[in-house]
Amino acid sequence: MTTVGAGADGGTGTVASVDQPAPSYPPAHPADRRAPDRSPRSLARLRGAGARPSEGGGSTTARDLAVRHRLLLALSALLTLALFLSYQGVHADANPLRTSSAPAVLSLDTALYALGQAQQDAGAPAPTSDFQKQISVAAQSLAAAAADDDIGGPAGRQALQTVAGLITVYSVKVQQSQLQPDGSMLREAYLSYATSILTEKGSGIQARLKALQRQQRAAVHRQTSFGPLLWLAWTVTLLLTLALGAALLETQLFLRRRFRRRYNRQLIAAAVLLLAGVVTTVLFTVWTQQGMADTRALLDRPLPGRLIPDAGRDTASYLAHTGFRAAAAVWILIGGVLLMALAETGLRRHIDDYRFRPR
């Protein structure tokens, strides 16, 4: 290409200029061309799947809420179960003790005392009303003990029926002896036979009644004992109570720090319910167990006849209101459900705000 321009002397001249060809580059190799990113991660981001990117590169609020939510529900369920079993372990025996075992022991004490008094009157030279009165007291006491279906099981009921029959035979033989002349051989024979029916070792009336009485006292001991299993159950219950209380407090502090909310009313209500429920059940258990222990101490020894009515009144006083306290066990289950509901509603709104899709 030729270009016309001014010369050095003011004239015109031509200046030849040759076009430079455009620089040529080697063709790009097909392998060097970057294809569009088609990785699963990129596709997932385009479709909106996958975990939500966290702000600041490290927010764990959703996960922290989920962990606390599961922890509160699990501790509430475990505490409800442990508290119910521990409470029932004490109170389930209180009502049978009040209505069955303790009255049976007192009835057998009364029968033994009445038969002892009747034996003293059996040697009177003539029939006396005191003897018949004592025999009637013994028979009525045995009938009261036999009314309890739990006394010694089938064998115990059979033993009571046998004793009742032997008392009838004893009464007849004593009456026959009293109808004989004083000092006669026949009178002595009747009286000796009647005495053997009452006092024979192993098979006499008193021996049979004392065997039944030992069985009933053993039942009282079983019902009133606070053994290792109950200690373990209540220890686990109190530890779960402390763990749930600490979890509620920590969750409240977490929400206050993360969401700037001073109080969560549902969690506060759950803490109040937890404290009130555990304190109430512990007090009920202490009162019931103390009454049962006093009853065992009272019935653990033979009682003189004049003290038996007083012992009955004392036993009724010791075991008063145990039926009401035992019925309160159902409120433990209701309270546990309510506790879980409060923990759920206290965190649900925050969990919904931080809902995320699983990876």
Side-chain angles (χ1 to χ4, degrees), residues 224-307:
T224 58
S225 65
F226 200 91
L229 287 179
L230 277 177
W231 279 111
L232 176 62
W234 276 103
T235 301
V236 171
T237 298
L238 294 179
L239 289 176
L240 287 172
T241 301
L242 293 176
L244 180 56
L248 287 171
L249 177 61
E250 194 279 335
T251 303
Q252 173 64 57
L253 295 176
F254 169 79
L255 295 178
R256 181 176 180 179
R257 181 177 63 253
R258 189 62 58 92
F259 298 101
R260 300 295 188 268
R261 293 195 61 185
R262 189 170 184 181
Y263 300 115
N264 185 296
R265 284 178 286 185
Q266 289 86 353
L267 294 184
I268 292 176
V272 172
L273 176 63
L274 172 66
L275 180 62
V278 172
V279 168
T280 301
T281 53
V282 168
L283 285 177
F284 279 7
T285 301
V286 170
W287 293 339
T288 298
Q289 184 61 36
Q290 184 61 51
M292 294 168 71
D294 292 340
T295 300
R296 180 182 59 198
L298 181 64
L299 301 180
D300 207 25
R301 64 187 187 278
L303 294 172
R306 66 182 183 278
L307 295 182

Side-chain angles (χ1 to χ4, degrees), residues 97-278:
L97 176 66
R98 178 178 62 86
T99 61
S100 174
S101 301
V105 171
L106 293 175
S107 295
L108 293 175
D109 275 337
T110 303
L112 282 168
Y113 176 77
L115 290 172
Q117 293 298 111
Q119 186 181 13
Q120 295 177 7
D121 297 329
T128 62
S129 60
D130 289 340
F131 175 80
Q132 290 300 327
K133 184 187 300 183
Q134 298 299 335
I135 292 296
S136 297
V137 170
Q140 291 173 1
S141 299
L142 291 181
D148 176 20
D149 293 335
D150 295 331
I151 181 169
R157 291 192 296 272
Q158 181 64 40
L160 283 176
Q161 293 174 2
T162 302
V163 169
L166 289 175
I167 288 177
T168 301
V169 175
Y170 171 76
S171 176
V172 170
K173 294 304 178 183
V174 169
Q175 290 174 355
Q176 288 177 341
S177 72
Q178 290 177 342
L179 293 175
Q180 304 302 319
D182 190 17
S184 68
M185 298 274 304
L186 191 57
R187 178 187 177 93
E188 295 298 329
Y190 279 132
L191 188 58
S192 175
Y193 182 61
T195 303
S196 67
I197 293 175
L198 181 64
T199 62
E200 185 73 22
K201 281 188 176 182
S203 59
I205 295 174
Q206 291 178 338
R208 294 173 186 268
L209 288 179
K210 288 178 181 178
L212 283 174
Q213 194 176 54
R214 286 193 295 270
Q215 293 179 9
Q216 285 305 112
R217 285 203 172 102
V220 170
H221 274 263
R222 288 193 302 270
Q223 291 169 340
T224 58
S225 65
F226 200 91
L229 287 179
L230 277 177
W231 279 111
L232 176 62
W234 276 103
T235 301
V236 171
T237 298
L238 294 179
L239 289 176
L240 287 172
T241 301
L242 293 176
L244 180 56
L248 287 171
L249 177 61
E250 194 279 335
T251 303
Q252 173 64 57
L253 295 176
F254 169 79
L255 295 178
R256 181 176 180 179
R257 181 177 63 253
R258 189 62 58 92
F259 298 101
R260 300 295 188 268
R261 293 195 61 185
R262 189 170 184 181
Y263 300 115
N264 185 296
R265 284 178 286 185
Q266 289 86 353
L267 294 184
I268 292 176
V272 172
L273 176 63
L274 172 66
L275 180 62
V278 172

Side-chain angles (χ1 to χ4, degrees), residues 46-98:
L46 290 175
R47 291 195 301 265
R52 177 183 297 180
S54 57
E55 297 179 2
S59 176
T60 60
T61 302
R63 185 188 63 189
D64 293 342
L65 286 171
V67 169
R68 285 165 174 80
H69 175 252
R70 288 192 294 266
L71 180 63
L72 290 179
L73 293 183
L75 287 176
S76 299
L78 289 174
L79 175 60
T80 301
L81 178 62
L83 183 58
F84 179 79
L85 294 177
S86 302
Y87 192 83
Q88 280 291 90
V90 175
H91 292 79
D93 290 327
N95 198 52
L97 176 66
R98 178 178 62 86

